[in-house]
């Protein structure tokens, strides 16, 4: 039996997932290859098991956060394009590009839903 060359080593990795208090393990195989950083979409998205709705900012270069669901209020902050945000609830407000929906952020403040893409399959409850 020969010894594998360093460039051909294979490492077996076990990944565990915790579901309802039960750990499930599945084998995975990885080589010596160093993968580059994952695409932003893979890095940023949280588990679909999250209890809350999440969205990705699609406004360039950023999305304004407001005190109320209306553009009459000055922005109280902004969130950069591509950022994953936690959504508390939704309501109807001023139309933005034909969309009346606004999201209340978990951290506070309102953003126009027109500029948020839902990412974890959950939609926010009504406020």
């Amino acid at each position: 039996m020969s010894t594998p060359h360093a460039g051909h080593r294979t490492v077996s990795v076990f990944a565990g997932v915790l579901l309802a208090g039960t750990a499930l393990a599945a084998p995975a195989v990885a080589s010596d290859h160093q993968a580059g950083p994952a695409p932003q979409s893979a890095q940023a998205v949280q588990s679909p098991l999250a209890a809350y709705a999440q969205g990705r900012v699609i406004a360039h270069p950023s999305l304004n956060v407001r005190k109320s669901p209306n553009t009459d209020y000055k922005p109280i902050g902004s969130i950069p394009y591509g950022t994953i945000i936690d959504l508390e609830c939704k309501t109807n407000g001023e139309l933005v590009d034909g969309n009346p929906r606004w999201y209340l952020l978990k951290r506070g403040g309102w953003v126009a839903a027109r500029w948020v893409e839902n990412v974890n399959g959950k939609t926010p409850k009504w406020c």
Side-chain angles (χ1 to χ4, degrees):
M1 182 187 271
S2 66
T3 306
H5 298 297
H8 294 100
R9 284 183 299 192
T10 302
V11 179
S12 180
V13 180
F14 289 96
V17 178
L18 186 61
L19 292 173
T22 305
L24 303 174
V29 177
S31 68
D32 287 64
H33 176 263
Q34 293 282 337
Q40 183 172 356
S41 60
Q43 289 176 341
V45 177
Q46 299 253 345
S47 165
L49 300 176
Y52 44 84
Q54 293 180 309
R56 177 181 295 111
V57 173
I58 60 171
H60 285 280
S62 62
L63 176 61
N64 287 328
V65 179
R66 300 184 187 274
K67 184 178 176 181
S68 184
N70 190 306
T71 59
D72 288 341
Y73 287 86
K74 290 183 179 179
I76 58 173
S78 65
I79 304 169
Y81 170 82
T83 303
I84 300 298
I85 53 178
D86 297 333
L87 309 172
E88 179 70 33
C89 60
K90 63 186 173 187
T91 192
N92 287 330
E94 178 185 0
L95 287 176
V96 175
D97 237 11
N99 187 337
R101 220 66 91 230
W102 286 73
Y103 294 138
L104 177 61
L105 302 175
K106 283 252 186 218
R107 67 179 189 164
W110 292 89
V111 295
R114 164 61 182 92
W115 303 111
V116 177
E117 171 186 54
N118 291 351
V119 295
N120 70 343
K122 297 180 187 283
T123 55
K125 64 185 180 200
W126 288 96
C127 297

